[in-house]
Amino acid sequence: MNPFNSVFQAEMTAIDSAAGWALERNVKIKVFSDSKYSIEAIRSPKVKSNFVLSVKDNLYNAKDLVSLVWVKAHAGNPGNELADHFAKIASSCGADMSIPAPFVKRVCKEFLMNEWNSYWKKSTTGKRTKEILPLANLDLLISNKYACLSIMDIFQHIWAGSK
């Protein structure tokens, strides 16, 4: 897996693979997972992720063959301990997976904040404001709609200057 892939993606991929295996062989299986989050995502009717929807579809196709069971993590369950061992191995040499949206959002936010701060530092205007806000800080400004409009103006100026 790549650094941006999550444990959740690995858990969901394992569940998906197990469902595919059971369907191919027409064999009833129980999938034991210590990921409450994965099981809750599969059971949730409000899923937006295409990745989770795909896993749900595969489980639906294998509905009479696959049952999901939650087990407590690190409780000495030999099967779960073995699965954790193989998950660690797979995390270092496994297949690439799609980039999760939260990772993309975080990287974009970091990039925009760096660009904004770079512009802010180079700007020769706003000396009094810089005394109060030496660095751009989204947490301070997001609750103020007028400040948000100012942020939009700044980004428009940055983008216009980069063309």
Side-chain angles (χ1 to χ4, degrees), residues 38-59:
S38 296
I39 293 172
E40 288 172 5
I42 290 166
R43 291 184 178 153
S44 174
K46 298 178 182 180
V47 175
K48 295 179 183 176
S49 163
N50 287 334
F51 175 62
V52 176
L53 288 171
S54 171
V55 174
K56 286 180 74 154
D57 284 345
N58 290 339
L59 282 167

Side-chain angles (χ1 to χ4, degrees), residues 13-31 58-68:
T13 300
I15 292 168
D16 190 45
S17 296
W21 183 90
L23 197 57
E24 282 177 15
R25 290 162 180 77
N26 197 31
V27 175
K28 282 189 173 194
I29 63 169
K30 283 186 180 181
V31 176
N58 290 339
L59 282 167
Y60 179 79
N61 292 334
K63 66 183 171 198
D64 296 328
L65 300 174
V66 179
S67 59
L68 290 174

Side-chain angles (χ1 to χ4, degrees), residues 88-153:
K88 286 177 187 170
I89 293 170
S91 70
S92 63
C93 61
D96 290 346
M97 300 170 74
S98 63
I99 301 173
F103 175 81
V104 174
K105 288 178 185 176
R106 181 176 51 82
V107 168
C108 288
K109 183 178 176 182
E110 287 172 3
F111 172 78
L112 289 173
M113 288 305 297
N114 287 337
E115 288 291 314
W116 188 9
N117 274 311
S118 174
Y119 172 79
W120 185 248
K121 288 176 185 175
K122 292 176 187 175
S123 175
T124 57
T125 61
K127 290 181 182 180
R128 288 188 182 170
T129 305
K130 286 181 182 179
E131 289 173 8
I132 299 167
L133 293 172
L135 291 174
N137 185 333
L138 197 57
D139 295 331
L140 293 175
L141 299 176
I142 203 68
S143 62
N144 183 328
K145 71 177 183 178
Y146 299 108
C148 288
L149 293 174
S150 297
I151 292 169
M152 290 170 41
D153 289 341

